[in-house]
Amino acid sequence: AQAEARNLVKQSSSSSNNAAAATPNSSSSSSSTKGPDDESSLDPANCCVTCRCGSCQLCQLRTYASHPWNINNLPQAKGSVLRFVREDVGGKPITGLMVPWVYVGSCFSAFCWHIEDHGLYSINYNHMGAAKIWYGVPAEAAAALDAAMRDALPHLFKRDRLLLHKLVTMLSPQQLAARGVPVCRAVQIPGSFVVTFPDAYHAGFNTGFNVAEAVNFAAPDWLPFGSSSVVRYRCVAVHGFFVQAWQTHIVQ
């Protein structure tokens, strides 16, 4: 959206300059017109400043770029703890965690049972295509799911005790339910969001071709989960994004 806004502003600025050059006595007015290379005029936050129609393409792009439900904005929105987090190198947001990833699904492509890094919230938006089928387990049943997975697949856990950290293991919701794990199901159609809560296991699959976008965020009530995840990672020798930086600030 930002790139398209820049191109549209360049085109409109070029057209305005051409028209001004062809109009007699226009030198005084054209001298105050910002050129297509003026960075402030190309900034999506400043584009279409004089227009308030709300229906032109530039207005729509500006609205989209700043909309609170644009998940590019959510990790650093007011009230999200992640707005205070940066990578150690370059001071840039962490991709995949604070910068959305796009997922292109195909029929029966799946995402295996997992919780988000550091037990964070996540939000997924289905842009287009077929529906996604989601299965979820509440945070209070996370330990029950761990135990059920180990009971159902002991040979895999004997080979790799960190299996659930690798997003490679799927188990039927029926088998989990048979072992006392509460499982819920959701169908995500195009144009809808799915939000997962801290430490909530989830898995699912796509019913056909689709394009989705997902990112993490952290409301203040996530902090106890973040602290617990640091302790959990230290116990199993898994180094998450924040373990090194947060050992002093959160755990102690």
Side-chain angles (χ1 to χ4, degrees):
Q2 292 178 356
E4 189 172 351
R6 285 174 174 267
N7 290 333
L8 286 169
V9 173
K10 284 182 179 180
Q11 293 170 10
S12 62
S13 298
S14 177
S15 300
S16 299
N17 290 339
N18 291 337
T23 303
N25 302 322
S26 62
S27 57
S28 59
S29 61
S30 62
S31 62
S32 62
T33 303
K34 293 182 179 180
D37 295 327
D38 187 280
E39 283 301 316
S40 63
S41 68
L42 299 183
D43 188 338
N46 297 325
C47 73
C48 204
V49 172
T50 60
C51 179
R52 292 293 182 268
C53 70
S55 58
C56 72
Q57 194 168 10
L58 283 175
C59 281
Q60 291 174 359
L61 287 171
R62 183 179 60 180
T63 300
Y64 175 79
S66 60
H67 198 281
W69 279 102
N70 179 342
I71 66 173
N72 288 274
N73 302 326
L74 194 57
Q76 300 185 61
K78 183 178 180 181
S80 174
V81 178
L82 295 185
R83 67 189 302 204
F84 302 105
V85 178
R86 292 291 184 274
E87 283 181 317
D88 293 336
V89 180
K92 298 180 179 179
I94 302 168
T95 59
L97 192 78
M98 298 170 61
V99 178
W101 280 1
V102 172
Y103 297 87
V104 178
S106 58
C107 189
F108 299 132
S109 59
F111 45 105
C112 296
W113 286 108
H114 68 287
I115 59 176
E116 298 299 309
D117 290 324
H118 298 276
L120 288 162
Y121 284 88
S122 76
I123 184 168
N124 184 294
Y125 180 70
N126 188 350
H127 282 276
M128 59 167 289
K132 284 179 175 287
I133 307 298
W134 290 74
Y135 300 103
V137 172
E140 57 267 24
L145 183 141
D146 288 345
M149 295 284 278
R150 293 175 188 278
D151 179 69
L153 306 166
H155 57 294
L156 296 181
F157 282 91
K158 184 177 181 179
R159 188 183 310 162
D160 186 354
R161 66 188 182 92
L162 301 180
L163 194 64
L164 285 177
H165 290 276
K166 300 183 177 179
L167 281 76
V168 294
T169 309
M170 186 66 90
L171 188 65
S172 167
Q174 289 183 336
Q175 292 197 40
L176 291 174
R179 290 172 170 82
V181 180
V183 182
C184 62
R185 178 180 181 271
V187 178
Q188 183 189 19
I189 61 175
S192 62
F193 293 90
V194 166
V195 174
T196 67
F197 283 73
D199 276 359
Y201 271 102
H202 48 281
F205 64 93
N206 301 295
T207 60
F209 171 78
N210 57 25
V211 179
E213 189 176 10
V215 77
N216 293 111
F217 66 99
D221 64 0
W222 161 80
L223 287 171
F225 294 94
S227 180
S228 297
S229 74
V230 173
V231 176
R232 184 166 63 244
Y233 287 162
R234 293 167 79 186
C235 290
V236 297
V238 172
H239 297 289
F241 288 112
F242 306 145
V243 171
Q244 299 289 339
W246 289 16
Q247 280 179 346
T248 300
H249 300 292
I250 291 184
V251 176
Q252 298 179 358

